[in-house]
Amino acid sequence: MTWGSLLLAVKIQRSDTCYELPSRRDRRDAGWDCYAAENATVPAGGMAKVSLGFSMELPADWAALLLPRSGLAVRGITLSNAPGLIDSSYRGLVAALVSNYGSEPLEIARGDRICQMAFLPVPDVSWQETQQLSVTERGAGGFGSTGL
């Protein structure tokens, strides 16, 4: 199987307030747009939990990430816990924790695209404890150590 033909079957259940199921505009898009299932106001400097109107059942060994939309992020709108991790064992209503770093309240209308969702495989991990790690050019440098 090649990555180009990968198909992930995800069971999804709409709530009675669901506006639209996640969708993408182009098959090559990595993120699936998610829509607000309710009207909400996110105060300046505050946050709000906004229902996306669905629950889902991911296959075992898969997870979903809720990510900010760049068009909102450029205006100071992001997700409080970005990325929001959805485990395969979760069956509850999916919601976005929207944060507003702007100076004006954000009005969200039912049907607005407020975040996007991406999927990733979750491998089993075999931890191999050691006394020494291999040496790399970067080493322990982090938080901007490789430049801008």
Side-chain angles (χ1 to χ4, degrees), residues 21-84:
L21 296 180
S23 64
R24 22 180 214 182
R25 304 217 174 199
D26 186 286
R27 189 198 170 289
R28 296 168 292 186
D29 292 346
W32 294 74
D33 290 330
C34 294
Y35 303 85
E38 59 191 349
N39 297 326
T41 300
V42 187
M47 64 177 263
K49 181 178 173 184
V50 181
S51 172
L52 300 180
F54 64 87
S55 301
M56 63 183 175
E57 181 178 333
L58 293 167
D61 300 326
W62 282 87
L65 298 176
L66 290 183
L67 304 162
R69 294 190 64 243
S70 60
L72 291 174
V74 76
R75 297 176 18 214
I77 309 302
T78 190
L79 301 183
S80 298
N81 63 331

Side-chain angles (χ1 to χ4, degrees), residues 3-4 10 13 33-34 37-38 48 60 63-64 70 78 82 85 99 114 116-117 120-122 124 136 144-145 147:
W3 281 102
V10 176
Q13 182 178 36
D33 290 330
C34 294
E38 59 191 349
S70 60
T78 190
L85 176 63
S99 288
I114 60 168
Q116 55 189 332
M117 183 168 40
L120 70 149
V122 179
D124 279 334
T136 66
S145 67

Side-chain angles (χ1 to χ4, degrees), residues 132-136:
Q132 186 173 351
L133 301 175
S134 64
V135 176
T136 66

